[in-house]
Amino acid sequence: MRPQRLGAAGALVLLLAGLLSPSGTQAADAASARQAGEQVALAKGCRTCHALPGEPRGKKPGPSFLSPAPPQPASEVLRRLWNHIPGMRQHFLLRGLAWPTIQTQEMADLLTFLGNQPGLERPTNLDRGRVLLLQKGCLKCHALAGEGARVAPDLARFRQFGSPVPLAAALWNHAPAMLDRIDKSGIPYPVFQEGEMADLLGFLGAFADVSR
């Protein structure tokens, strides 16, 4: 028996069903968030150093933004953002530009544009995270449940180490004050290698949960 051909109306029904299915909706939402994130990057002045999608690559000092960016776990997007903060701060200072504030929804869209994709995180090594807390010098400015310095807020009070959006927004918006403190203290800015940010955040999140 020959398969029955679909008319125009039937094809339209199948198309709409695909678009309205959970996977189709999620893909559409992700694409919309990437577009919104690109607009955030544009509005915050990122294109002065980075080529946005569609612009010539290799003409600016920073890495080019891809669309879509290679999917990565949130901890890796945060790691790249953290390591990049001093260079971005220097760029703004040299040009006399104000450090732009990024709201929570803007950060959510920006992280999606930069490649954040839920579900890619690997299990964290809490012991390694505890060691990194000391190796990276976090307690030279922060305390953890009262242990450590008092220059910056106690890390145990922050309850969202497992939530990349509010964490990234907090890191970004407090970056100028944080960098000023680090410069005055003479502490080297901690740079994180691949996987290290995930383990540190895993340890801090577990510690915060236990200390509630």
Side-chain angles (χ1 to χ4, degrees), residues 35-189:
Q35 291 175 352
E38 183 175 344
Q39 292 304 309
V40 173
L42 178 63
K44 303 303 178 180
C46 300
R47 72 182 309 174
T48 59
C49 286
H50 302 276
L52 294 178
E55 295 182 334
R57 299 174 61 183
K59 303 292 186 180
K60 297 180 180 180
S64 300
F65 289 148
L66 303 178
S67 184
Q72 298 181 71
S75 61
E76 281 303 296
V77 180
L78 286 173
R79 179 184 72 87
R80 289 163 46 209
L81 184 66
W82 170 274
N83 289 347
H84 197 40
I85 280 177
M88 289 188 290
R89 174 64 169 158
Q90 189 66 19
H91 159 78
F92 280 94
L93 288 175
L94 288 175
R95 289 160 179 77
L97 302 174
W99 186 256
T101 299
I102 299 182
Q103 304 300 323
T104 304
Q105 185 57 54
E106 291 177 327
M107 183 58 75
D109 294 334
L110 183 61
L111 293 183
T112 301
F113 173 62
L114 295 176
N116 176 38
Q117 183 168 313
L120 297 182
E121 292 288 356
R122 60 168 177 76
T124 55
N125 185 327
L126 300 187
D127 289 334
R128 186 185 184 214
R130 177 180 56 80
V131 171
L132 287 168
L133 180 75
L134 301 175
Q135 287 182 342
K136 301 298 182 180
C138 303
L139 297 185
K140 292 181 180 179
C141 287
H142 292 275
L144 183 64
E147 297 294 329
R150 303 292 194 278
V151 178
D154 193 313
L155 293 172
R157 297 177 183 174
F158 190 81
R159 303 296 185 185
Q160 297 176 301
F161 290 108
S163 303
V165 173
L167 178 58
L171 290 175
W172 176 273
N173 292 330
H174 290 88
M178 177 184 65
L179 289 174
D180 287 344
R181 293 192 190 106
I182 290 176
D183 289 341
K184 291 177 181 178
S185 67
I187 301 171
Y189 187 82

